[in-house]
Amino acid sequence: MPNMALNKVKMPEQNPDIRNKNFKEVSLGYDEAMAVEEAQRCLNCKHKPCVAGCPVNVKIPEFIQLVADGKFEEAYYKIRETNSLPAVCGRVCPQETQCEQLCVRAKKGESVGIGRLERFVADWYMANCKTDEARPRSNGIKVAVVGSGPSGLTCAGDLAKLGYEVTIFEAFHVPGGVLMYGIPEFRLPKALVQKEIQTVKNLGVNIQTNMVIGKVLTIDDLKAEGYKAVFIGSGAGLPSFMSIPGENLNGVYSANEFLTRINLMSAYKFPDTDTPVFVGRNVAVVGGGNVAMDAARSAKRLGAENVYIVYRRSEAEMPARLEEVHHAKEEGIILKVLTNPKQILGTEDGWVKGMECVEMELGEPDKSGRRRPVEKKGSEHIIDLETVIMSIGQSPNPLISSTTPGLDIQSWGGIIVEEETGATSKSGVYAGGDAVTGAATVILAMGAGKKAAEAIDRYIKGE
């Protein structure tokens, strides 16, 4: 019998006043009984609208039915048929605007907790099963993947399953891309990311770190070394700034640098680690996306007393996930919406002391369909601060495009590709993820890696 409860089984979480002082995971996950109870809310509908909402087409009703039957290991293998990073996706996917938005149960009450169930299955498998999937037989054909973030890992895993000899070239000293340097420990534990990467390595994928493509080797060098195709999944690591006075003061970070120091270089454990990170008593994060929430919540955990999110539109327009905004507010983050920075003010010795802002009101809709923020005359005011974190987006690093003749790019730096295949203007070179779209979601990058793997297979076979 399906469970007709209108609401999802509640997710256990750390208390906000405790978790805002530690970097342990906020959401604690379902136990077996909770997972079975939630899985029984799925109606197993004939049309499976949820699957169409998933960029990697996870067989959602099928894996959920297996959970409802208590067959957790089989459920894991069902997810893994199309998704190589289930423990990651269960935590960081915006399910509420994808699979869960299309869930029939959402018409009356809450959707099935698809993301929570995916996370449960992956965690249960890691805790209870020994991973020894058979390594596919090699076809001897070499393919190169640039970048070991979500798109690169997905593309590499899918190609390895087809028998290709895949080498990933990663610029940093640790694989994982944005999963390691961008998303904080309290949302996505790093040990778990490395376990997911190990399952990709178990398929025979070779990962070379400290390999900056465009510096150590170029795309053309890779092709000359016998790689029959190259996938570029190098992400969007170039931060944007506002070009306002005072952005070069000490105490101003890009969200990229701030989060990379904390996440990849464990600055939150300083002085037990080598990387320090300066956080004053009062911190402002400029922006309203998930990255802004991550930076603000990290600053709070590092001891800041007042952390402000300064965003020029209203809370309703914030691009961050609702869950992220909700968690941030619970943890004491102060939202200063309809507010825009004019300049950052400094001390005589070059450190941040405040930020002059102006209040905004929403005017007519712009091209994006969102109402455009307009300054309120005479509403200038100063917020006292020691730290300012700019989180207003990032674009692809120009290193690869500037060293790859014949690779067409957008005016803002994104690589131009055929939407269905990820093929670039250069024969045998494919691209996907944030290097193409600019900063977007983990799952969209994975979807792009998946499409490109299929296209590379067809290209090499001459189809």
Side-chain angles (χ1 to χ4, degrees):
M1 264 298 285
N3 163 11
M4 295 313 288
L6 287 179
N7 294 332
K8 293 174 183 170
V9 173
K10 204 163 162 41
M11 173 72 103
E13 291 177 349
Q14 275 197 76
N15 178 307
D17 288 332
I18 295 171
R19 71 179 192 238
N20 68 7
K21 299 171 190 69
N22 70 51
F23 274 81
K24 296 191 190 101
E25 212 171 352
V26 167
S27 300
L28 304 174
Y30 282 163
D31 61 21
E32 293 184 11
M34 290 169 172
V36 169
E37 185 185 341
E38 182 58 37
Q40 287 168 346
R41 293 184 63 235
C42 175
L43 303 173
N44 215 333
C45 359
K46 204 167 68 189
H47 300 304
K48 307 178 177 39
C50 52
V51 178
C54 172
V56 295
N57 299 121
V58 169
K59 294 170 181 167
I60 293 167
E62 293 170 46
F63 101 74
I64 290 179
Q65 185 59 54
L66 290 165
V67 175
D69 296 341
K71 297 177 177 172
F72 307 139
E73 186 171 359
E74 288 98 321
Y76 175 79
Y77 285 117
K78 183 56 67 182
I79 298 170
R80 277 295 305 274
E81 284 176 24
T82 61
N83 180 352
S84 33
L85 307 170
V88 169
C89 292
R91 286 168 167 82
V92 303
C93 264
Q95 288 97 3
E96 67 280 1
T97 58
Q98 294 177 165
C99 53
E100 292 184 13
Q101 189 176 39
L102 300 176
C103 174
V104 172
R105 287 301 304 264
K107 289 181 178 163
K108 283 187 183 153
E110 293 184 325
S111 67
V112 175
I114 298 168
R116 296 173 181 188
L117 290 170
E118 181 174 41
R119 168 187 166 149
F120 164 77
V121 168
D123 289 3
W124 185 92
Y125 181 86
M126 283 180 183
N128 294 286
C129 302
K130 194 173 169 300
T131 306
D132 50 356
E133 291 175 67
R135 185 176 283 201
R137 260 187 63 196
S138 167
N139 61 18
I141 300 169
K142 291 184 359 177
V143 177
V145 171
V146 180
S148 61
S151 68
L153 290 170
T154 302
C155 184
D158 283 12
L159 287 168
K161 285 178 190 168
L162 296 169
Y164 291 97
E165 291 192 6
V166 184
T167 301
I168 296 179
F169 296 91
E170 168 54 48
F172 278 1
H173 58 288
V174 175
V178 73
L179 306 174
M180 289 300 288
Y181 72 75
I183 302 173
E185 183 76 14
F186 55 81
R187 279 216 295 139
L188 184 63
K190 303 297 162 244
L192 188 138
V193 175
Q194 292 306 316
K195 277 186 184 170
E196 293 266 56
I197 291 171
Q198 190 56 51
T199 59
V200 175
K201 284 180 170 173
N202 292 346
L203 294 168
V205 173
N206 171 26
I207 302 181
Q208 293 190 21
T209 53
N210 300 313
M211 288 297 284
V212 184
I213 300 303
K215 278 271 190 239
V216 184
L217 293 168
T218 64
I219 300 290
D220 288 336
D221 290 339
L222 293 175
K223 295 193 83 176
E225 286 189 9
Y227 290 97
K228 290 283 179 264
V230 179
F231 174 76
I232 303 169
S234 51
L238 189 69
S240 304
F241 286 91
M242 289 183 72
S243 304
I244 56 173
E247 270 183 319
N248 56 353
L249 288 164
N250 296 321
V252 179
Y253 292 92
S254 68
N256 262 36
E257 181 193 354
F258 187 69
L259 290 168
T260 300
R261 280 173 178 262
I262 294 167
N263 299 334
L264 189 64
M265 301 171 181
S266 303
Y268 66 94
K269 297 179 187 162
F270 187 79
D272 299 331
T273 54
D274 294 336
T275 308
V277 64
F278 170 74
V279 177
R281 278 178 50 201
N282 303 293
V283 177
V285 180
V286 180
N290 290 331
V291 176
M293 299 300 148
D294 286 345
R297 295 171 69 197
S298 296
K300 187 77 177 171
R301 283 161 171 74
L302 290 167
E305 285 172 34
N306 299 304
V307 181
Y308 305 99
I309 293 257
V310 177
Y311 180 59
R312 66 197 188 116
R313 288 185 160 97
S314 73
E315 188 180 331
E317 276 92 8
M318 277 190 173
R321 287 181 71 186
L322 291 175
E323 180 182 67
E324 297 306 305
V325 179
H326 169 69
H327 279 158
K329 283 159 65 172
E330 279 188 336
E331 290 167 13
I333 306 297
I334 304 154
L335 300 190
K336 282 186 79 70
V337 294
L338 290 168
T339 303
N340 205 33
K342 297 283 277 185
Q343 61 173 324
I344 301 167
L345 309 168
T347 60
E348 282 179 12
D349 55 354
W351 288 82
V352 171
K353 70 172 185 182
M355 187 161 71
E356 183 189 336
C357 296
V358 63
E359 288 176 26
M360 310 294 280
E361 49 197 352
L362 294 179
E364 293 302 307
D366 62 12
K367 275 192 290 217
S368 73
R370 294 191 299 175
R371 289 172 63 194
R372 205 164 58 82
V374 187
E375 284 189 13
K376 267 194 200 170
K377 285 220 167 18
S379 64
E380 287 81 2
H381 58 283
I382 288 168
I383 310 173
D384 293 333
L385 299 166
E386 293 79 40
T387 310
V388 175
I389 300 163
M390 289 290 173
S391 179
I392 53 170
Q394 54 254 23
S395 55
N397 187 316
L399 193 58
I400 288 177
S401 54
S402 65
T403 54
T404 312
L407 188 68
D408 291 347
I409 60 164
Q410 313 270 9
S411 57
W412 52 268
I415 300 171
I416 296 172
V417 299
E418 276 179 18
E419 199 168 325
E420 279 314 300
T421 62
T424 68
S425 56
K426 203 171 165 74
S427 174
V429 178
Y430 294 74
D434 290 3
V436 168
T437 58
T441 60
V442 166
I443 191 72
L444 283 173
M446 291 174 65
K450 204 164 195 59
K451 272 187 194 166
E454 289 168 20
I456 286 170
D457 180 47
R458 290 197 301 271
Y459 165 78
I460 289 174
K461 288 175 175 163
E463 289 171 15

